[in-house]
Amino acid sequence: METTGTRLSLAWLLGVWALTRVALLLFVFKVYVFPGPDVTSDVSVIYQGWYEVLRTGTFPLHDVTWQYPPAAALPVLSPALVFWLDYPSAFFVLAFTADLAVLLLLLYAGLRPGLTPRGAWVWVAGVPLLGPTVYARYDVMVTAVAVAALLAGARHPRLLGALAAFGAMLKVWPVLLLVAARGRRAWVSAVLTAGAVSAGFALAMPGAFTFLTFQRDRGTEVESLGALVFHVARQYGWEGQVLLNYGSVEFLGPYVDVVSTAALALSGLAFGWLVLWRLRARRFQPHTLADAAFVAVLMFVTTSRVISPQYLVWLVGLAAVCLCFRESRMRIPVALVLAACLVTVLEFPVWFAHVVASDALGVSLLFARNGLLVLATVLAARVLWRATAVRAAPVLVPAQPTRARETSLPS
């Protein structure tokens, strides 16, 4: 009976995944037009432009939109593997393949004893909530590496370290997967992998680390938490502008540098909290590695100067790994992240013009999405702290009453 129920649930899961992914493919291939601006232009214009430069053996040295670690060249160049398709079509197929790889990893983990396929359902539901943007960015490929790292972490710390480091060379954030890694094996593996990848790219291709300068000069993107200050200020005559800058739509004008600095300070506070948690944590369970990674990435996404829609793909992937473990208590934060995904697709791309205009609809959507992320971050951090760092209260066993000895008086 249990086997039949499992098979039925698995059939439903695969069916929903297939239907939703076909829909995403129809949108990115423009069989149907998704509302709002064309999300595939990043692939057909920006990625393909980088591809033409990278295949000559150098990084885009003078392109400020190139803000990624050196291994990011690999997903940008990967459509060459599907040589019989044009560049955008090949990229969409590879993004779809990465999505499928995540599903298979989560199913393989979830069907093992003691785990649950609930995490796979989070992935199946979360990705389509973000719309076709998922297949039009390489973040789904990075997320696949991160999911593999976390699922391997409990039993294979060296593999965790190697995959986390490789992921960090793709897009930095996977380094946060190591926040709860115990022992030296994962960290040594990570350092060796990062060193080898960095040295290889530095020797093979000029400009491997120019992205550091471009990242430093970014401003406050219109979808970020800090941007809410300027969305409200525009209603009272703030004289700044909204312009395409460093590859994203950002606020430029008075006090933008102050808000950007405040965002960096918030990220610094988040890092300080993580360090404090790591020093105080005493109880590590199999799900702690995934829970801690989820909290860490939530903190840095929420406090970032930029909250691009594709960042939510990272959170969906990590949330899915958390819920592969029955003991994880991240259900409410995960539900909040899924709700934030739904609001995200409404603010971009559906009603992005309203966001840029800072009108009532656009500002309301941003308050809702960013509010959900803040609430998810606070609740997830609280759950992690209470599960690992707060000492359990001692259990007091009531003393058994001592029966008084009966003494008989001599008659």
Side-chain angles (χ1 to χ4, degrees), residues 42-43 45-63 65-80 87 91 138 169-170 201-202 204-211:
D42 275 27
V43 177
V45 178
I46 298 176
Y47 285 15
Q48 190 164 359
W50 291 339
Y51 171 81
E52 298 298 337
V53 175
L54 288 166
R55 64 190 300 197
T56 66
T58 183
F59 285 92
L61 301 177
H62 305 293
D63 186 349
T65 61
W66 178 263
Q67 300 167 10
Y68 308 106
L74 299 177
V76 174
L77 289 169
S78 63
Y87 185 90
F91 187 91
Y138 81 86
M169 290 290 101
L170 289 169
F201 276 103
M205 300 175 69
F209 295 96
T210 54
F211 78 97

Side-chain angles (χ1 to χ4, degrees), residues 139-189:
D139 297 79
V140 66
M141 303 174 187
V142 185
T143 303
V145 175
V147 168
L150 284 179
L151 291 176
R155 295 187 298 172
H156 307 286
R158 289 190 180 90
L159 184 56
L160 163 67
L163 289 174
F166 180 66
M169 290 290 101
L170 289 169
K171 206 163 188 181
V172 180
W173 68 267
V175 72
L176 297 171
L177 305 181
L178 297 170
V179 69
R182 304 181 71 190
R184 292 181 296 178
R185 287 180 293 175
W187 287 98
V188 171
S189 177

Side-chain angles (χ1 to χ4, degrees), residues 267-308:
S267 295
L269 288 174
F271 179 76
W273 186 93
L274 288 170
V275 171
L276 178 62
W277 167 79
R278 192 64 180 82
L279 293 173
R280 295 287 301 274
R282 293 293 181 269
R283 297 190 300 277
F284 287 83
Q285 298 175 337
H287 59 87
T288 302
L289 186 69
D291 288 354
F294 180 55
V295 171
V297 176
L298 255 177
M299 285 183 165
F300 281 94
V301 166
T302 304
T303 61
S304 174
R305 292 173 293 172
V306 179
I307 305 182
S308 295

Side-chain angles (χ1 to χ4, degrees), residues 16-100:
V16 173
W17 181 86
L19 286 173
T20 53
R21 274 41 178 195
V22 166
L24 292 180
L25 288 172
L26 291 174
F27 284 127
V28 293
F29 280 105
K30 298 182 182 177
V31 176
Y32 297 104
V33 177
F34 200 79
D38 180 12
V39 300
T40 66
S41 61
D42 275 27
V43 177
S44 58
V45 178
I46 298 176
Y47 285 15
Q48 190 164 359
W50 291 339
Y51 171 81
E52 298 298 337
V53 175
L54 288 166
R55 64 190 300 197
T56 66
T58 183
F59 285 92
L61 301 177
H62 305 293
D63 186 349
V64 295
T65 61
W66 178 263
Q67 300 167 10
Y68 308 106
L74 299 177
V76 174
L77 289 169
S78 63
L81 298 172
V82 194
F83 57 86
W84 57 92
L85 295 177
D86 61 85
Y87 185 90
S89 299
F91 187 91
F92 302 146
V93 168
L94 291 172
F96 168 83
T97 305
D99 178 6
L100 176 60

Side-chain angles (χ1 to χ4, degrees), residues 107-122:
L107 279 177
Y108 175 76
L111 295 176
R112 281 161 42 196
L115 299 176
T116 170
R118 189 170 53 204
W121 274 110
V122 171

